[in-house]
Amino acid sequence: MEMQAPATQLRPPGQDRGLRDVFANRFLLKLIVDKEIQIRYRGTVLGLLWSYLKPGVQFLVFYIAMGVFLDLNRGIENFAVYLFSGIVVMNLFGEVFGNASRSVVANGGLLKKIYLPRQLFPVSNLLVAFIHFVPQLAILLLACLVTGWRPDIKQLLAVIVGTLIIALFSLALGMLFTTFNVFFRDAENIVDLIVMVSTWASPVLYMWTMVREKLWDWVYYVYMVNPLTVAVELFHYGFWFPTTDNPQIWHVPPHLMTGWTPLAIVTSLVLFVIADRLFRSQEGNFAQEL
């Protein structure tokens, strides 16, 4: 009796299995990450040192403008740590979201020549962003240690959860807008606007209490539903809060860990599922549109 060969499950051409194919092609993912790093720093003298210099200059500009000129440094203890904690989060978000949203179009020439899992491109930009995130995090840690940082387990956990939220949320938005960008190039301009507004729509340059005190209640709740706000406040709770001499309960939004953080995780997961389905439903048309 002849043995029958197991049936091979066929898939429509140009469609992959999403993140499962990304994990199955880790070597290819590494090559794309290396390519992105090489292209970004090709012909530069400082190379990866720019990942230290750019956020440093950004911090100085904001510190002088907001801390010195507007005198916010007198109202917030260790304002430098508070400010840089938020800047680190927003830099990670802006780099992942901005580069991931352009990743498919930027690699259009490669997509038209060979087949490879399309989600490799936005995921590779997430990894590249983390390469730049680590030096900024090291500087932040050094500043915290100098100012007497003594975190507990709950505060360290807040940093980890905040990082995961910002990674998932920014990757989801990047996948969503990279799909739009293939068909409508206006998407790139929308991405730039979102990144620009995000710094001011999150408690990076000011405290969350200003939103609750100066605006309507419903605005405060909408403000806190934003995963970016939650991620920034988790970083403040993990890095800035343990450096203050007299920690006050109003420094942290009510229900940050028990209410807003789970909601931010769920919101990011739902957005990722939507973005993943849209991306995979349209990826078969990418090469033709490009």
Side-chain angles (χ1 to χ4, degrees):
M1 184 176 180
E2 294 183 0
M3 297 289 293
Q4 293 184 351
T8 301
Q9 185 178 1
L10 300 178
R11 297 195 305 254
Q15 293 190 2
D16 58 35
R17 299 175 300 167
L19 292 180
R20 287 180 294 175
D21 275 349
V22 173
F23 294 133
N25 291 272
R26 290 186 294 273
F27 180 72
L28 185 56
L29 177 63
K30 180 181 181 299
L31 291 179
I32 296 176
V33 171
D34 291 341
K35 175 185 76 73
E36 292 290 338
I37 293 293
Q38 292 172 8
I39 291 176
R40 187 166 306 183
Y41 296 111
R42 179 181 298 166
T44 64
V45 176
L46 298 180
L48 278 172
L49 288 177
W50 282 109
S51 60
Y52 293 88
L53 184 59
K54 290 173 66 175
V57 172
Q58 183 185 20
F59 164 75
L60 286 176
V61 170
F62 280 136
Y63 184 82
I64 293 173
M66 305 298 295
V68 178
F69 292 162
L70 297 182
D71 216 19
L72 288 181
N73 59 334
R74 296 186 181 180
I76 302 177
E77 185 181 356
N78 291 333
F79 179 70
V81 175
Y82 180 90
L83 178 62
F84 198 64
S85 299
I87 288 176
V88 165
V89 174
M90 298 312 299
N91 282 347
L92 179 61
F93 167 74
E95 183 169 358
V96 177
F97 179 34
N99 292 332
S101 64
R102 297 173 174 86
S103 59
V104 172
V105 172
N107 290 277
L110 183 60
L111 287 176
K112 290 185 287 186
K113 293 178 181 178
I114 61 172
Y115 171 76
L116 70 168
R118 272 64 169 160
Q119 287 192 10
L120 283 170
F121 298 114
V123 172
S124 68
N125 281 279
L126 173 64
L127 298 181
V128 171
F130 268 107
I131 293 175
H132 298 143
F133 174 70
V134 171
Q136 299 177 47
L137 195 62
I139 296 174
L140 176 59
L141 282 172
L142 180 60
C144 290
L145 291 173
V146 169
T147 52
W149 187 53
R150 295 293 185 273
D152 57 26
I153 298 298
K154 189 176 180 180
Q155 289 159 349
L156 293 176
L157 180 63
V159 172
I160 296 173
V161 174
T163 303
L164 294 177
I165 288 175
I166 205 68
L168 182 62
F169 182 66
S170 56
L171 180 60
L173 282 178
M175 290 174 54
L176 194 68
F177 275 86
T178 199
T179 305
F180 295 151
N181 196 32
V182 172
F183 303 96
F184 311 103
R185 295 296 191 272
D186 291 341
E188 292 190 11
N189 296 319
I190 298 176
V191 170
D192 292 337
L193 288 175
I194 293 175
V195 172
M196 179 182 64
V197 171
S198 295
T199 301
W200 298 93
S202 301
V204 177
L205 308 175
Y206 55 87
M207 294 199 71
W208 64 272
T209 51
M210 297 179 65
V211 176
R212 190 176 66 173
E213 294 169 358
K214 296 181 179 298
L215 298 176
W216 301 281
D217 289 341
W218 68 268
V219 176
Y220 165 73
Y221 289 113
V222 172
Y223 180 77
M224 291 302 302
V225 167
N226 179 11
L228 292 179
T229 299
V230 176
V232 170
E233 282 304 316
L234 287 172
F235 266 59
H236 284 157
Y237 180 58
F239 288 115
W240 170 72
F241 188 77
T243 68
T244 56
D245 293 330
N246 298 302
Q248 302 293 328
I249 191 169
W250 59 265
H251 285 166
V252 181
H255 315 297
L256 175 64
M257 299 293 289
T258 58
W260 297 118
T261 296
L263 181 60
I265 295 173
V266 171
T267 301
S268 300
L269 283 172
V270 170
L271 182 63
F272 181 82
V273 170
I274 295 173
D276 179 68
R277 291 191 175 184
L278 178 65
F279 187 97
R280 293 172 64 182
S281 69
Q282 298 297 323
E283 62 183 347
N285 301 319
F286 286 173
Q288 178 181 349
E289 291 294 329
L290 295 172

